[in-house]
Amino acid sequence: MSTHLNFSAHFSCINPDCRKEFDLDTVIYRCTSCGELLEVKHNTNELKKKSGKEWKELFDSRLGSVRFPNNSGIWNKKEWVLPSIADEDIVSSGEGNTHLFNASRWAKDLGLGSLHIKQCGISHTGSFKDLGMTVLVSQVNRMRRMGLPIRAVACASTGDTSAALASYAAKAGIPTLVFLPANKVSTAQLIQPVSNGAKVISLDTDFDGCMKVVQEVSKDPGIYLANSMNSLRIEGQKTIAIEILQQLSWEVPDWIVIPGGNLGNVSALGQGFELMEELGLIQKLPGIVLAQAQKANPLYESYLKNFEDFQPKEAQKTLASAIQIGNPVSVKKAIRILKKFNGIVEQASEEELADAASRGDQYGLYNDPHTGVALAAMLKLIEKKKILKGEKVVIISTANGLKFTEFKTAYHESEIPGIDSKLVNKIHKSSENMNSVFQLIQTLLT
Ligand SMILES: *Cc1c(COP(=O)(O)O)cnc(C)c1O
Ligand SMILES: [Zn+2]
């Protein structure tokens, strides 16, 4: 017997004194009354008609499906994401369902109860940005089919957002504009939107400057803004919390460590846990650690003052280029989440993030510099006894290391300026003469 449940969702202003609501089928990013950001609110009374146990069973029953739409880690939780969209409007590339890497050997060396790395970079365009972009582009696809005059989608990016947007929009045949800060994204990240046919505009500024430009450009209602201030992205990204718990047999870890720039992803992570708690799937919340590069650390500075004040600043050049952001759009959402989740903000220097990435690689990972920031933060918090022996930790790895070959090569060649690479693995040269080879092996294995 199946009961028909009437799931629905709408945009709601995040300002507690306003809470104005808007239909999801409108082109809107900020509240028209007070100018604050919006969030997607679900009809939780309707969702509560299933028990926590029933939701867990339903989501678990869809795991491992090879068929659309349950072959996506987002759309197999469609009721919690965009319940009203028709399957034929969905633009999916099988995103999500990424591996939770069990770093058991490293956990043992660190004295942790367990250490898992959520490998978001093993996704269609190589970063977690796919999780939100499938939702945003699907909704745009729906609105275009309804006849709304949306000519193009547009974003500012530190590299991965534009790669994801260009790919999903190309799949659906939607024209795309991307604004990138000149010389601040990796070669792989730059060539992704170029290959997918997006109009790529390189601006002689930083990400915060690109963000200003794209907000001006998208005042034209025909140009749809795809940055994470658009809360449709957050809806997709929040499924990461649910997927991690499925992989941990619904056992809530003590800590989740996540690198942050514009701070949409940490907000999404928290919202995923909030919804699971509200609907009775879990009884406690994890602690959340937000990790920033020291060169781009406005939230760290605010954390030191108990979040009483937040000052945007100009971000300095960092190896963690995707989080080189000084004026994060989602800062209010992120602070609310961190206050609720026993939050800690930690920072990592360039040397700390590079060494931590390399340390992780020696346990079988292949870390990008942003994951390096999260790993460095974890190591520092273990040192400071804020993360305790025996505790269970999950690290969010945000992108695939293969996008950052320049970084990894320079590290192992000890050629990153200002950094003393401590965990270099040099390439050994030998002639093909067997005596030389045996002699070399002798020295390498002693
Ligand atoms: C976008 C991005 C981040 C930061 O996510 P925010 O939501 O902007 O905080 C971190 N790492 C990588 C690799 C990214 O692409
Ligand atoms: Zn408002």
Side-chain angles (χ1 to χ4, degrees):
M1 195 188 77
S2 76
T3 46
H4 185 74
L5 299 175
N6 189 20
F7 302 130
S8 65
H10 56 266
F11 288 124
S12 166
C13 173
I14 65 166
N15 177 353
D17 300 326
C18 174
R19 285 287 175 201
K20 192 169 170 161
E21 296 183 357
F22 306 89
D23 194 287
L24 288 185
D25 291 326
T26 39
V27 176
I28 189 165
Y29 324 106
R30 285 187 179 276
C31 177
T32 52
S33 287
C34 73
E36 261 304 346
L37 292 185
L38 305 174
E39 61 190 356
V40 175
K41 279 275 178 211
H42 290 263
N43 181 347
T44 43
N45 285 335
E46 208 60 37
L47 292 171
K48 279 177 187 160
K49 289 182 181 168
K50 273 190 203 296
S51 69
K53 184 166 171 286
E54 285 172 317
W55 279 117
K56 288 196 237 183
E57 283 168 2
L58 178 67
F59 289 158
D60 281 349
S61 76
R62 294 171 179 169
L63 283 180
S65 172
V66 292
R67 296 199 192 122
F68 175 85
N70 289 338
N71 60 355
S72 158
I74 313 308
W75 299 108
N76 65 7
K77 301 168 193 79
K78 181 178 163 185
E79 296 89 338
W80 290 22
V81 175
L82 262 195
S84 49
I85 197 163
D87 281 357
E88 57 265 31
D89 288 335
I90 290 176
V91 183
S92 169
S93 297
E95 52 289 318
N97 285 328
T98 53
H99 185 61
L100 188 69
F101 181 102
N102 185 349
S104 50
R105 189 166 68 85
W106 199 4
K108 206 168 162 203
D109 290 350
L110 293 170
L112 292 174
S114 67
L115 175 59
H116 288 89
I117 291 85
K118 181 63 172 162
Q119 295 284 71
C120 299
I122 307 173
S123 186
H124 184 61
T125 73
S127 84
F128 78 84
K129 298 296 199 296
D130 290 355
L131 309 182
M133 213 51 94
T134 181
V135 178
L136 180 140
V137 174
S138 296
Q139 178 62 22
V140 172
N141 193 39
R142 168 182 160 96
M143 291 191 289
R144 277 164 60 98
R145 286 170 145 205
M146 289 167 68
L148 270 71
I150 299 172
R151 298 202 315 279
V153 286
C155 74
S157 178
T158 50
D160 290 327
T161 297
S162 51
L165 179 64
S167 167
Y168 283 87
K171 189 163 197 272
I174 304 171
T176 306
L177 286 171
V178 312
F179 296 91
L180 293 170
N183 306 317
K184 292 189 180 72
V185 308
S186 76
T187 310
Q189 288 172 318
L190 176 63
I191 212 66
Q192 285 183 283
V194 169
S195 306
N196 287 133
K199 312 290 178 203
V200 179
I201 301 165
S202 171
L203 296 179
D204 197 12
T205 177
D206 58 7
F207 171 80
D208 298 296
C210 292
M211 195 66 219
K212 276 188 203 138
V213 169
V214 78
Q215 292 193 58
E216 283 303 312
V217 167
S218 58
K219 281 184 180 159
D220 173 347
I223 298 181
Y224 191 84
L225 178 66
N227 281 95
S228 61
M229 64 182 286
N230 185 325
S231 52
L232 289 168
R233 294 244 323 261
I234 305 295
E235 285 312 285
Q237 288 174 211
K238 79 176 187 213
T239 61
I240 195 175
I242 303 148
E243 197 171 286
I244 288 170
L245 282 204
Q246 285 184 285
Q247 289 169 312
L248 294 174
S249 304
W250 301 101
E251 193 198 326
V252 179
D254 297 298
W255 295 102
I256 301 194
V257 187
I258 181 169
N262 226 2
L263 304 177
N265 209 23
V266 66
S267 311
L269 179 72
Q271 285 183 30
F273 278 103
E274 284 185 316
L275 193 53
M276 282 191 283
E277 191 189 40
E278 186 179 356
L279 298 179
L281 283 75
I282 55 172
Q283 269 65 52
K284 66 162 195 173
L285 299 174
I288 294 183
V289 177
L290 188 282
Q292 290 208 300
Q294 198 169 328
K295 300 267 191 184
N297 65 353
L299 192 66
Y300 177 73
E301 294 191 340
S302 168
Y303 168 74
L304 294 181
K305 292 177 266 174
N306 277 320
F307 298 125
E308 272 154 26
D309 175 38
F310 177 83
Q311 292 296 334
K313 59 192 282 194
E314 196 177 320
Q316 307 297 305
K317 191 169 176 57
T318 166
L319 294 162
S321 48
I323 56 176
Q324 187 179 329
I325 296 175
N327 188 11
V329 168
S330 295
V331 66
K332 283 190 186 158
K333 289 184 182 179
I335 289 177
R336 181 185 77 74
I337 290 295
L338 287 168
K339 282 182 172 167
K340 180 159 175 183
F341 286 74
N342 192 19
I344 297 177
V345 184
E346 184 54 275
Q347 64 176 0
S349 70
E350 297 298 285
E351 188 162 298
E352 286 167 342
L353 76 87
D355 283 335
S358 182
R359 176 113 75 110
D361 289 358
Q362 297 192 347
Y363 289 96
L365 293 157
Y366 191 67
N367 292 305
D368 68 290
H370 318 87
T371 307
V373 170
L375 292 169
M378 172 190 74
L379 295 172
K380 290 173 84 170
L381 291 172
I382 292 173
E383 199 72 27
K384 293 179 185 173
K385 299 198 165 36
K386 289 194 179 167
I387 294 178
L388 303 176
K389 300 277 166 192
E391 288 192 319
K392 298 183 174 177
V393 179
V394 174
I395 304 282
I396 308 288
S397 172
T398 44
N400 197 313
L402 291 169
K403 290 199 192 205
F404 299 90
T405 307
E406 297 102 324
F407 158 70
K408 301 189 78 69
T409 308
Y411 183 87
H412 286 289
E413 291 177 346
S414 297
E415 272 174 6
I416 304 179
I419 284 189
D420 170 23
S421 309
K422 286 190 221 51
L423 297 162
V424 167
N425 188 17
K426 285 225 159 43
I427 297 168
H428 304 279
K429 293 201 170 124
S430 168
S431 77
E432 61 185 327
N433 174 292
M434 280 321 291
N435 274 339
S436 325
V437 173
F438 283 132
Q439 230 165 36
L440 177 60
I441 292 176
Q442 194 81 32
T443 62
L444 294 180
L445 295 184
T446 46

